[in-house]
Amino acid sequence: MLNGMHAIGLKCLERRKARAWTQQVAAERAGVHRSVISAIENGGYSGSLKALTLYLTALDLVLTVQSLNVPQLDELNGLFNDD
């Protein structure tokens, strides 16, 4: 499973159910196969970004990219300064 796909899947499932859509209805609105919807919602999707984006768009969601903001060693040293 790809990192973050579980959270994306849960959000999609929540949004789809709020609209009272079946997976088949969601698939038709997104223009993808129902198995794609299932894989996304179960967190196991590893297909194309295009299909994922089509589903997100149908749900009025957007995919964004964020930096992990992993601190560098010199930044960590400042946290433990005893002065």
Side-chain angles (χ1 to χ4, degrees), residues 35-76:
S35 64
V36 170
I37 303 302
S38 178
I40 292 169
E41 292 182 352
N42 289 310
Y45 183 70
S46 61
S48 75
L49 184 57
K50 179 180 179 180
L52 175 60
T53 302
L54 286 169
Y55 185 36
L56 293 173
T57 300
L59 296 171
D60 295 322
L61 296 171
V62 63
L63 184 64
T64 61
V65 178
Q66 294 178 317
S67 173
L68 290 176
N69 292 326
V70 177
Q72 299 299 310
L73 184 58
D74 60 334
E75 296 170 320
L76 291 175

Side-chain angles (χ1 to χ4, degrees), residues 1-31:
M1 181 180 314
L2 295 172
N3 192 18
M5 285 306 297
H6 182 70
I8 291 171
L10 287 176
K11 185 65 176 179
C12 290
L13 176 65
E14 174 185 286
R15 183 67 65 100
R16 176 179 64 80
K17 289 197 174 214
R19 293 174 181 217
W21 291 354
T22 63
Q23 286 187 345
Q24 186 60 44
V25 168
E28 290 168 5
R29 290 183 182 249

